[in-house]
Amino acid sequence: MAQATGRTDVGEKASPARVYDYFLGGTNNYAVDRVWADQAEARYRDSGQDVRHIYRSNRGAVRRVVEYAIREHGIRQFVDIGSGLPTVGNVHDVAEKLAPGETRVLYVDNEAIAHAHSDILLARTADPDRHRAVFADLLDFDTLWDKVLAEEVIDPGQPMLLLVMAVLHFVGDSERASAALSYYRDRLPKGSLLALSHGTFAGASPEFHELVSQYVSTTTNAFMRTPEEITSFFGDFELVAPLDYTSHWLNPDPPKIEPWRSHCMVTVGRKV
């Protein structure tokens, strides 16, 4: 799960972004991240649950959000805020499979390591004229948006998909989070989409409550919100897809497991 506020103690504490990468099978993580993740996984396993399901469900939702935006709304531009470390199923990979040569993607993250790895990945696998990464913080919204536009990858006058996936539950100040989302919504042109996933305690098991409490020992604490609080981030945007758990959201072949076990909900809103 990508970070929303930066810290300098990289290597001393586990990073949620690197833990997420580890649970997805990535290699951009350190021993401190693997120790934290392995301990969390062991606690979940003892209760008969699979902690990796939470993280993999969100990644699957990212892919389906991009596919939905392209197929159902003709979107070709994507801004991924809190993109985290490059791993399986990056936005530009998914988008290019459906609309080869047509997509423009800008990744945004405030973790220096994530940004550096994104630059390396894009240099190897993407078109630098259409796919780039910038270093910025979600909460520093005016600076972030200036950096997005300065890259001249995204046409601010054309509809785009703004992804804020598994980010806001690392922002404890709901007023600041709401202010940031309001700013971004105001700058999206009509026809644009906002996709947002967020952790929730709705239906959660005691083990998930315990897992979330452990984030205090990482570089970024975690803060769950109710389904109503999650949808409030969309303001007056029209919700064009149901709010659902990430494992089952628009999934034609959902896993045979209770939806709430992904502990994260997702939906998409449209600016009309």
Side-chain angles (χ1 to χ4, degrees):
M1 300 183 183
Q3 285 181 264
T5 55
R7 290 283 293 273
T8 59
D9 49 2
V10 172
E12 299 176 10
K13 293 183 177 182
S15 154
R18 298 193 307 263
V19 167
Y20 187 22
D21 172 73
Y22 175 63
F23 277 137
L24 293 177
T27 58
N28 297 314
N29 49 76
Y30 300 144
V32 66
D33 309 303
R34 296 189 287 275
V35 168
W36 190 94
D38 288 344
Q39 290 175 346
E41 186 171 27
R43 288 191 294 267
Y44 251 60
R45 188 185 308 115
D46 290 344
S47 67
Q49 300 183 67
D50 179 10
V51 71
R52 292 179 185 251
H53 173 70
I54 301 171
Y55 299 84
R56 290 172 174 169
S57 293
N58 186 75
R59 198 61 183 180
V62 171
R63 173 180 56 79
R64 294 194 301 277
V65 160
V66 173
E67 293 173 344
Y68 171 78
I70 291 174
R71 289 172 172 159
E72 302 298 327
H73 297 271
I75 297 292
R76 294 295 185 271
Q77 301 191 115
F78 306 84
V79 178
D80 186 0
I81 298 180
S83 51
L85 288 153
T87 188
V88 178
N90 294 292
V91 171
H92 77 279
D93 293 324
V94 177
E96 283 294 296
K97 288 180 180 178
L98 293 180
E102 299 178 12
T103 65
R104 295 177 173 272
V105 180
L106 201 62
Y107 294 102
V108 184
D109 205 276
N110 74 331
E111 186 171 282
I113 293 175
H115 176 63
H117 279 283
S118 293
D119 278 342
I120 294 169
L121 172 78
L122 295 175
R124 291 200 310 254
T125 68
D127 181 344
D129 291 330
R130 297 185 293 112
H131 309 129
R132 294 184 193 169
V134 298
F135 181 74
D137 192 298
L138 177 145
L139 297 178
D140 190 8
F141 40 79
D142 50 353
T143 298
L144 184 152
W145 203 249
D146 285 344
K147 288 186 176 183
V148 166
L149 299 183
E151 291 295 316
E152 298 184 345
V153 169
I154 302 297
D155 181 349
Q158 294 298 315
M160 66 189 77
L161 168 63
L162 178 66
L163 297 104
V164 187
M165 302 290 284
V167 178
L168 290 178
H169 49 228
F170 294 116
V171 180
D173 188 331
S174 292
E175 289 189 6
R176 292 186 70 195
S178 294
L181 266 292
S182 177
Y183 180 92
Y184 297 128
R185 292 196 310 269
D186 287 347
R187 272 137 194 86
L188 296 178
K190 289 184 178 181
S192 291
L193 303 178
L194 168 63
L196 190 152
S197 68
H198 196 299
T200 182
F201 281 136
S205 63
E207 290 76 20
F208 183 66
H209 282 264
E210 197 271 341
L211 173 67
V212 171
S213 73
Q214 295 302 312
Y215 270 93
V216 72
S217 66
T218 72
T219 57
T220 308
N221 203 0
F223 308 87
M224 302 297 100
R225 291 185 171 91
T226 66
E228 293 76 19
E229 289 172 322
I230 295 170
T231 56
S232 73
F233 288 124
F234 289 88
D236 61 357
F237 275 32
E238 173 193 10
L239 294 185
V240 293
L243 179 71
D244 200 355
Y245 289 96
T246 49
S247 59
H248 285 63
W249 186 83
L250 297 189
N251 191 345
D253 186 25
K256 293 179 175 61
I257 187 172
E258 297 98 325
W260 62 265
R261 289 192 183 276
S262 62
H263 298 299
C264 193
M265 305 190 82
V266 60
T267 192
V268 174
R270 180 174 181 268
K271 187 168 187 175
V272 296

